[in-house]
Amino acid sequence: MTMLSPADPSIAVVVTSVVDTEPDVSILVGPEKGRFAFGIRTMERTGTRMDESGFVSGIVDDAPAMARMAVQEFGLAAVDESTPRDMLPDLMQKIADDAADVDWAKWEFTRIEVDGVGFALRVRQMAPGFVAIADLGRFVVTMRGRELPEDRRFTLKRQVSAPGPNWPID
């Protein structure tokens, strides 16, 4: 499977999810860094498809939809088993409200390098961290975490096997 990951092969990467119906891979970069690790979701553009029953599917890849997705992923990553159940409805509403607020004045561009080519990474600082989106042509990506990595060299050539019978990967 193809995924965006750091160009430095010594940086640990853990696959956290794979969506079988679309080429959609999520990874955690630097899991040994604990709270300083960051996530990358790589989605391949496959076009808008229709199956035999008339179901239409495809990757949502316009910038506002990608921004909403990144903010939503960031918010949901903070929800875990320690979150009190009575707080979940308000927390879910806050995540939805934050995701709906696509104010481009809150986003800045920075440069990332992917296999030697410079691409624009659109970044929004959020408490306590960041979200980012990028259009890489054949792929679109979201990122989220505590700190945007200083080394912004990435590759799409790092390959991992699809998860086997011991899924999830530790």
Side-chain angles (χ1 to χ4, degrees):
M1 72 187 97
T2 302
M3 63 189 180
L4 185 72
S5 63
D8 180 350
S10 70
I11 298 174
V13 171
V14 175
V15 176
T16 58
S17 73
V18 178
V19 177
D20 292 335
T21 57
E22 299 287 344
D24 183 342
V25 181
S26 294
I27 63 171
L28 186 62
V29 178
E32 75 285 356
K33 296 179 183 180
R35 67 184 190 94
F36 294 106
F38 68 98
I40 301 176
R41 182 175 178 186
T42 307
M43 295 158 281
E44 183 177 9
R45 283 188 166 110
T46 57
T48 304
R49 298 181 179 199
M50 181 179 283
D51 67 14
E52 298 298 323
S53 67
F55 179 75
V56 178
S57 65
I59 297 295
V60 177
D61 60 3
D62 61 283
M66 293 294 297
R68 287 189 293 273
M69 184 186 316
V71 172
Q72 189 174 39
E73 290 169 347
F74 180 84
L76 291 174
V79 178
D80 61 22
E81 61 276 349
S82 68
T83 306
R85 291 186 74 108
D86 62 329
M87 291 180 61
L88 286 175
D90 290 339
L91 185 57
M92 292 297 117
Q93 186 59 55
K94 179 177 179 351
I95 291 169
D97 292 345
D98 287 347
D101 179 23
V102 181
D103 178 356
W104 291 125
K106 296 178 182 178
W107 295 75
E108 297 179 358
F109 283 105
T110 190
R111 185 183 198 294
I112 61 171
E113 185 177 297
V114 180
D115 298 318
V117 177
F119 286 93
L121 181 69
R122 192 172 244 172
V123 181
R124 178 179 172 187
Q125 296 300 323
M126 300 188 65
F130 78 96
V131 295
I133 60 174
D135 181 339
L136 307 179
R138 183 174 154 208
F139 297 91
V140 291
V141 298
T142 63
M143 292 184 189
R144 62 177 164 73
R146 290 283 182 138
E147 293 180 9
L148 188 63
E150 288 184 32
D151 184 355
R152 298 195 187 119
R153 293 174 296 143
F154 296 90
T155 184
L156 287 166
K157 296 178 181 173
R158 187 173 183 177
Q159 298 288 318
V160 296
S161 301
N166 296 326
W167 180 254
I169 296 173
D170 296 325

